[in-house]
Amino acid sequence: GPASLTMTIGFGASLLRAIGLSHQVPDALAPIPAFLGDALDATASDGDLGVLVAGNDGLVITHALRALQRVARG
């Protein structure tokens, strides 16, 4: 494809709960315990969305990311 663009999107249990699928949250999505030395800020962590956009051309990557942001608004 153009510039070898790839997108990987991962989501966690809170998305399933938000769309009414709490009964389908697998046990594997249970929160993991804190690691030794962690100093996590609870107000800025515990997110459930990861997006990786990669490719060979920075302009194509930027355009793809902006397109994702545009459709995700609201």
Side-chain angles (χ1 to χ4, degrees), residues 44-62:
S45 51
D46 199 27
D48 269 336
L49 179 64
V51 179
L52 173 67
V53 182
N56 295 335
D57 184 332
L59 186 60
V60 172
I61 294 168
T62 301

Side-chain angles (χ1 to χ4, degrees), residues 5-34:
L5 181 70
T6 61
M7 292 187 214
T8 304
I9 301 173
F11 57 89
S14 68
L15 176 65
L16 295 174
R17 288 187 193 100
I19 60 174
L21 298 175
S22 296
H23 61 285
Q24 292 190 1
V25 175
D27 293 338
L29 291 182
I32 61 171

